[in-house]
Amino acid sequence: GPSLKKLDLQFCKKIPAEAWKKLGDAQWPNLQEVNLQYCFQENGAGAAEALQAVASAGPSLTKLNLYHCGKIPAEVFAAIPAGTWPNLEEFGSWGVDSLTEQEKARLTGGRRQF
């Protein structure tokens, strides 16, 4: 809910798409840290809804770890509005070829160093 500040699902590779899809309307305005490392390594189903929920944090988000989430399609990132995460200090995306440096800059309102 709205009081959620940290979400750590590292290594949770087996969360079914149906569960991720329930997050589509989630609103987490106070979310500051998200770790989805490995969640979308084997399958990208549900990534759109998961990242839509993370996007609801907007400027509150300071850390986002998507390491080894290589199955997230580029369209998922493209659907997030420009400048959604202007205060990100850490944006981990090793192994996510669909998330280019240009896309990271677009999502953070121009920040390029992470």
Side-chain angles (χ1 to χ4, degrees), residues 1-84:
S3 61
L4 185 67
K5 291 188 176 178
K6 187 173 183 180
L7 179 65
D8 188 346
L9 295 173
Q10 182 173 342
F11 299 116
C12 294
K13 300 182 199 182
K14 303 294 183 190
I15 296 174
E18 300 78 43
W20 290 117
K21 290 182 179 182
K22 292 181 187 219
L23 296 178
D25 295 325
Q27 292 296 309
W28 296 332
N30 298 307
L31 190 62
Q32 298 168 358
E33 298 181 23
V34 176
N35 185 353
L36 297 178
Q37 184 172 346
Y38 288 102
C39 288
F40 298 104
Q41 181 185 35
E42 298 170 7
N43 191 324
E49 291 81 6
L51 286 175
Q52 183 179 342
V54 172
S56 75
S60 295
L61 198 67
T62 58
K63 295 180 183 179
L64 178 56
N65 182 348
L66 297 175
Y67 286 134
H68 304 287
C69 289
K71 296 292 185 183
I72 299 175
E75 310 84 69
V76 169
F77 297 111
I80 300 169
T84 291

Side-chain angles (χ1 to χ4, degrees), residues 87-103:
N87 297 315
L88 268 186
E89 297 164 8
E90 295 178 24
F91 197 168
S93 62
W94 192 88
V96 186
D97 294 337
S98 60
L99 182 58
T100 64
E101 290 303 312
Q102 293 93 334
E103 188 66 356

